[in-house]
Structures are given as structure tokens and as C-alpha cells.
Amino acid sequence: MQPFRIEIPQADLDDLDRRLEGTRWPDEVPGAGWARGVPVGYLKDLVEHWRHRFDWRAVEAKLNELPQFTTEIDGTNIHFVHVRSPEPNATPLVITHGWPGSFVEFLDVIGPLTDPAAHGGDPADAFHVVIPTLPGFGFSGPTGEAGWDVDRVARAWQTLMAELGYDRYVAQGADWGKLVTLELARIDPEHVAGVHLNMLVTFPPPDPAEMAGLSEADMGRLGKLLHFDLEGSGYMKIQATRPQTLAYGLTDSPVGQLAWIAEKFLEWTDSHLSPEDAVDRDRLLTIVSIFWLTATAGSSAQLYYESTDRTNQNVAARWAGPWPITVPAGVAVFPHDPAPPVRRFAEKILPTITHWTEFDRGGHFAAFEEPDLYVEDVRAFSRSLKQG
């Protein structure tokens, strides 16, 4: 394991500025708003902010305050943040992000999780926090070979936690992080004490009779899932079938990369007119900048290809369950996730649920959008494991 510092060459930042300045903008259908994709007016304003007000060097210095490391596992580079708590009896916690994600999502929760006493909490709730970067993403960089699906990532995390000396730990995640977390619990129940998820997709059962008696709220959740399937899942199909073709545009155009990600922060968060209703603009640009500066748009999309059922191109098959795990599971439901779960169906595909919390705000990027809610729910779930 080697200490890691982010040191982006100035030439790369100058190249980014030149590309942003020379953007060739498309036309758009008047009055379409976000219905057909990211509006030109919004994106031009965001690009101006990226060029003239966003300060990568300041962001880089802030990120480098975190203890970051790289290591090689199963032939590929893994970048990770590892923050040990001042509390000697803290619970180890591995957090896995998704797409389009990064350790940057968790900047506001690392302090409260590792040092609750300094943030008005109980020292007994402390965690040693490990946040790996998924292979193919950001500072982990491209894997250089095929075969890095969620199962292989989970095995890498198992190795990482063992090498860090953590014999018993909690795993947390959403999006791809949810799948990695559940697979980690399946293959390593001797060391995974429990799993906490802030995303769980529950598809309607094949028997219509099982839909009887669902509440209006649960029917609304199924409606959101249907809307996502019909209107919001195009990115998933492309990344799962032709990630290389997509990579040319996203790796060559920073505005293309920005639009590809910004759209998801509008659609998947508790926002209305722009992503900044839910997330900080500079933090969003930090995530986009990491994808751009590491040229990992294409390599991050490979996870969709690798984890898709290639017999019928069913991208969603890996998300459906059931999940044959034996450790306790906690689920935090944020209403503006694109597919919030229905508990009745959740308990059929994940029968070890012992903790379930429903919030009235927040979306897909829970730690980013609602760090206080996220922290308290992870703490509450961990407490329940100790009590059990």
C-alpha cells in the first residue's frame, strides 16, 4: 500500500480550459426544459462556472487533506480513502460508491462517522472509515482487462479489508455499491457483521395478486420505477452494451462528460429546476472533473457491460435479487431515489432486513444530499448490530 496524493499536471488543466472555450454547442427544441436532456442555457452557465470560478487547485488541496492510498489487488490498481477514528473501539466501515460516483460524495460524513464526539455525537458510534474507488473509476484508473464485474470487486474489497487488518466490519453502499456490498456479505459472512443500503430496487412480482393491498405510497414507488425504466434508463443500456463507443465522446468532450453526469444529478436527487437544488455546484464539478482528468468515462462504464446478463442483455437482472445473505441488513429509503423500494417486496428478496427507515427528503446520493440523515441511520443500524 502506498500513500497517494492528487497531483494533476497543469497542462491537463490548461487543455480542459481550451476545450471548454472551444465547445461547439448544439441547438435545442424551444421550451423543452429538461424533458429531452440537459438544457443548453443551463449547461452554458455551468461551463462558465467551471472555467472561471471553479478552482481545481483549491479542491485538490482539500482532497489531499484526506489520507489516501493505492494498492494492487488481483492485478489492478485500487485507490481508497482510509480514515481511522480516534476511538480505539470504533467499528470498521467500508463504503462503496456507485456511478456516476466518487469518494467525494462522502466528504461531509467522514468527520461525523469517524469522530462523533467532535460533531456532537456519542463516541460509541465511531467508525474507522474505508472508501475504495471502484476499479475503472477515477484515481483507481482503468483496469486494463476484462472481467471486473461486481463479484470480482467484492472479492477485492474482501482482500482490502483483510489487508487493513479489519476482522469484523460493516459494509455500506448504494447503486453499484449496493451490489458490491451484498455480494461482499454473501462471500464473507464471517467478517461482514451487517450491510446498510440506501438503495434497494424492488421489482413488481409476476403474480398480480401480490399487488393487492399496496398503499398509495407504495404504488407511487412502483410508478417511479416504471418511469425510470421507460424514461431514465437509456444511459444504462448504452453503457451495458456499447461502453467503448460512448467513451470516445465523453473522453474527448468535457462538456459531453459534464452533461452525461449532470443530468443524473437532476433526475436522481431531491431537486426541481437544477441539480444545485440538492447538491453543491462545486462538489458536482469536482466529481465531473475527476472523471474528466482521469479519463475514466469509458472504463467506469465497463462495469455495466461486465455485470450485465449477456444472454438476454438484461441490464436489470443483477439488481432484482433475491439476495442469499445471512447477515443483518439495514435499508434507508430516500423518496427521490429513482426507484425507492417497497418493503413488502424488499423482505422477499432480502429476508435478513432488521432495520428499515423511511425519510421525507433526499435522493440517490444520500451522503451527498442529506449527510446528517445518512450518518444517523448508519449509526442506528450499527447500534442495532451491537445490541443484537
Side-chain angles (χ1 to χ4, degrees), residues 178-179 182-183 200-201 318-326 348-351:
K178 162 214 158 183
L179 297 182
L182 289 168
E183 178 62 14
L200 183 66
V201 180
R318 291 302 301 264
W319 302 83
W323 302 103
I325 69 170
T326 57
K348 292 181 181 296
I349 63 173
L350 186 57

Side-chain angles (χ1 to χ4, degrees), residues 332-349:
V333 181
F334 290 86
H336 294 279
D337 189 271
V342 174
R343 183 164 189 174
R344 181 196 300 181
F345 304 149
E347 290 174 340
K348 292 181 181 296
I349 63 173

Side-chain angles (χ1 to χ4, degrees), residues 27-345:
D27 64 358
E28 63 181 338
V29 174
W34 287 82
R36 297 172 184 243
V38 183
V40 172
Y42 169 78
L43 206 62
K44 282 185 174 181
D45 181 66
L46 194 54
V47 166
E48 282 299 297
H49 186 89
W50 200 3
R51 285 195 65 205
H52 300 298
R53 292 179 290 279
F54 176 76
D55 185 346
W56 170 259
R57 289 303 184 201
V59 167
E60 187 178 69
K62 187 69 176 175
L63 296 180
N64 281 331
E65 293 176 4
L66 292 171
Q68 299 174 64
F69 304 87
T70 58
T71 189
E72 184 177 304
I73 300 177
D74 194 12
T76 200
N77 183 65
I78 301 295
H79 164 268
F80 63 98
V81 172
H82 182 204
V83 184
R84 287 189 59 85
S85 172
E87 304 297 333
N89 296 321
T91 300
L93 172 69
V94 58
I95 302 173
T96 309
H97 66 84
W99 183 92
S102 162
F103 70 97
V104 172
E105 293 176 54
F106 305 98
L107 294 182
D108 292 336
V109 304
I110 292 173
L113 288 173
T114 57
D115 192 2
H119 295 81
D122 185 344
D125 289 330
F127 297 93
H128 302 305
V129 171
V130 181
I131 310 174
T133 296
L134 287 168
F137 286 64
F139 298 113
S140 283
T143 62
E145 63 176 350
W148 276 95
D149 60 4
V150 293
D151 300 346
R152 192 170 175 183
V153 175
R155 293 194 298 272
W157 277 203
Q158 179 184 15
T159 300
L160 176 63
M161 295 302 281
E163 291 183 352
L164 290 172
Y166 292 133
D167 183 64
R168 193 75 171 156
Y169 56 91
V170 174
Q172 202 283 326
D175 198 90
W176 284 112
K178 162 214 158 183
L179 297 182
V180 172
T181 294
L182 289 168
E183 178 62 14
L184 182 58
R186 188 189 71 80
I187 65 173
D188 198 22
E190 297 84 3
H191 300 102
V192 177
V195 296
H196 182 278
L197 313 170
N198 56 280
M199 176 191 180
L200 183 66
V201 180
T202 53
F203 292 92
D207 182 1
E210 295 187 49
M211 301 280 287
L214 284 181
S215 68
E216 183 177 345
D218 283 341
M219 291 299 292
R221 290 171 182 177
L222 292 178
K224 288 195 70 167
L225 177 60
L226 177 61
H227 177 78
F228 173 77
D229 183 51
L230 295 175
E231 288 285 332
S233 62
Y235 80 96
M236 182 185 291
K237 188 69 172 176
I238 293 171
Q239 296 193 157
T241 56
R242 297 295 184 269
Q244 188 62 40
T245 304
L246 175 67
Y248 296 108
L250 299 188
T251 306
D252 189 59
S253 169
V255 170
Q257 177 71 94
L258 176 61
W260 194 246
I261 291 177
E263 179 186 88
K264 301 312 165 196
F265 275 88
L266 182 282
E267 294 182 346
W268 298 353
T269 61
D270 191 354
S271 57
H272 307 285
L273 299 177
S274 75
E276 291 97 310
D277 292 341
V279 298
D280 176 77
R281 172 176 277 203
D282 280 357
R283 193 72 61 82
L284 170 60
L285 287 172
T286 298
I287 291 174
V288 175
S289 295
I290 289 174
F291 274 93
W292 173 259
L293 295 168
T294 59
T296 51
S299 56
S300 64
Q302 297 292 341
L303 182 57
Y304 287 83
Y305 187 94
E306 298 289 356
S307 302
T308 295
D309 180 356
R310 305 238 68 81
T311 60
N312 60 7
Q313 299 299 325
N314 186 354
V315 186
R318 291 302 301 264
W319 302 83
W323 302 103
I325 69 170
T326 57
V327 306
V331 179
V333 181
F334 290 86
H336 294 279
D337 189 271
V342 174
R343 183 164 189 174
R344 181 196 300 181
F345 304 149

